[in-house]
Amino acid sequence: AQRVTQPEKLLSVFKGAPVELKCNYSYSGSPELFWYVQYSRQRLQLLLRHISRESIKGFTADLNKGETSFHLKKPFAQEEDSAMYYCALGTGGFKTIFGAGTRLFVKA
Amino acid sequence: DTEVTQTPKHLVMGMTNKKSLKCEQHMGHRAMYWYKQKAKKPPELMFVYSYEKLSINESVPSRFSPECPNSSLLNLHLHALQPEDSALYLCASSQRAQGASQETQYFGPGTRLLVL
């Protein structure tokens, strides 16, 4: 079955603390993984994708095929990182499956 | 223009009405998508158009009828909807590059639909 699991609905951290948003996937083929973010009152937008191996706004994510994970990490959280984060799995043919999302709240 | 636009922003309709949602992009993208998002849930894929042809229909009820009249426009025609169809409807587009199977999607702000 094709599935994306984000185990935390809500993650609350203090400003300056490290943050890790977990994402696990289930897919028998070659996956393409994305992190999308939705800030308050803004549209859903791409944060990063595994194929580009970039660091965006200090966030990184590494695809671990052995653990079928694509966790999102940032060493020092900022208040402006507070948002809804969705992990998404591309299964080919332009079909995308979104995880349930994790709301990150960064406290001052 | 680097945005996906959607109209209307809000729509209230009765179960016997016929209405249409409109999505437009001028980024030269050749793949366009419709998603449905219920409150506190992730977006769920409904349809994908590739080069103006329907390529994915995720078993969506026929009361939802998509249309892609040209490479910049995507419509979703609504007829005889049910109250449970109330949701945020998101449109997205992507480049549809040769040989690609997955791409970054650019989302519109959505149309919030309420079916009474």
Side-chain angles (χ1 to χ4, degrees), chain B residues 34-48:
Chain B
W34 279 116
Y35 288 87
K36 175 181 179 179
Q37 187 175 24
K38 300 281 274 184
K40 299 187 190 295
K41 297 289 186 183
E44 291 181 21
L45 185 65
M46 300 173 72
F47 304 103
V48 180

Side-chain angles (χ1 to χ4, degrees), chain A:
Chain A
Q2 301 162 358
R3 191 170 57 244
V4 178
T5 303
Q6 293 180 250
E8 304 128 335
K9 280 188 177 179
L10 174 66
L11 188 61
S12 184
V13 301
F14 282 102
K15 177 182 171 182
V19 62
E20 181 180 47
L21 286 77
K22 291 184 166 49
C23 172
N24 287 89
Y25 66 91
S26 173
Y27 181 53
S28 57
S30 183
E32 297 202 38
L33 276 299
F34 303 79
W35 277 99
Y36 283 87
V37 61
Q38 189 164 29
Y39 301 101
S40 179
R41 301 186 190 283
Q42 293 188 29
R43 62 186 68 193
L44 195 59
Q45 59 186 289
L46 179 75
L47 181 62
L48 53 81
R49 57 186 296 191
H50 89 271
I51 202 167
S52 57
R53 302 183 66 82
E54 292 175 302
S55 172
I56 305 292
K57 299 186 179 185
F59 284 97
T60 59
D62 290 315
L63 178 61
N64 185 323
K65 290 187 177 181
E67 295 182 1
T68 60
S69 68
F70 188 56
H71 303 325
L72 184 67
K73 300 178 185 179
K74 184 170 183 176
F76 308 104
Q78 303 298 315
E79 288 181 75
E80 55 266 28
D81 296 329
S82 296
M84 190 73 175
Y85 291 80
Y86 291 101
C87 182
L89 167 67
T91 61
F94 294 86
K95 181 175 177 177
T96 304
I97 299 169
F98 284 81
T102 297
R103 182 164 295 282
L104 175 65
F105 181 57
V106 181
K107 297 176 285 191

